Amino acid sequence: MSDTPAELRYAASHEWARLQDGVVTVGISDFAQDALGDVVYVELPELDQEVVAGAEIAVVESVKAASDIYAPVSGTVVAINDALEDAPERVNQAPYGDGWFFKLEPLDPGELDNLMAADAYRDHCETDGARES
């Protein structure tokens, strides 16, 4: 099974969320980047954009497909990882590090409780992967 850090929360749509100092950093999981293959382009949200949990907020394109990225919680975009514009492969190389997509100031940090813990996410991926085979 791919890397699934225990300190993160995960959406069924394969985004991860890390709450730190009142800000939620968002990226896609190792499982997701592996399924996508080589990432070649990332379309990031606008700064100060307001989003609702579950809404499409960004796009990631790989050699295989394009996929929407969804906001795991509601809030306002306070930072984007513009390094991905010139180096989208960072998503593949370090999905939980330099490959993050954007940061949100959450409206309600309690929304993170609606996301899966690492164990539940691993189970979700195994079930998902079995369906795709």
Side-chain angles (χ1 to χ4, degrees):
M1 178 65 205
S2 57
D3 185 27
T4 313
E7 72 276 9
L8 304 178
R9 303 295 287 187
Y10 300 87
S13 51
H14 305 290
E15 293 83 13
W16 58 262
R18 175 188 296 122
L19 179 63
Q20 189 172 20
D21 300 324
V23 174
V24 176
T25 302
V26 179
I28 61 170
S29 70
D30 190 42
F31 177 87
Q33 72 76 25
D34 185 55
L36 279 169
D38 294 337
V39 173
V40 295
Y41 176 75
V42 176
E43 181 181 313
L44 298 168
E46 296 292 321
L47 281 175
D48 299 321
Q49 180 178 341
E50 293 182 10
V51 295
V52 176
E56 296 173 11
I57 186 170
V59 176
V60 60
E61 292 183 17
S62 72
V63 293
K64 293 182 182 180
S67 296
D68 292 323
I69 304 300
Y70 301 92
V73 297
S74 301
T76 303
V77 177
V78 294
I80 57 170
N81 187 356
D82 10 351
L84 297 180
E85 291 177 16
D86 294 327
E89 65 277 5
R90 288 180 184 209
V91 174
N92 297 114
Q93 295 165 350
Y96 303 114
D98 290 344
W100 62 274
F101 282 59
F102 56 89
K103 296 184 181 191
L104 295 171
E105 184 176 314
L107 285 177
D108 176 8
E111 281 186 332
L112 287 164
D113 294 338
N114 298 331
L115 302 174
M116 291 179 262
D119 288 344
Y121 179 68
R122 275 192 291 276
D123 291 345
H124 170 74
C125 291
E126 288 171 9
T127 304
D128 233 21
R131 265 190 248 133
E132 292 172 9
S133 301

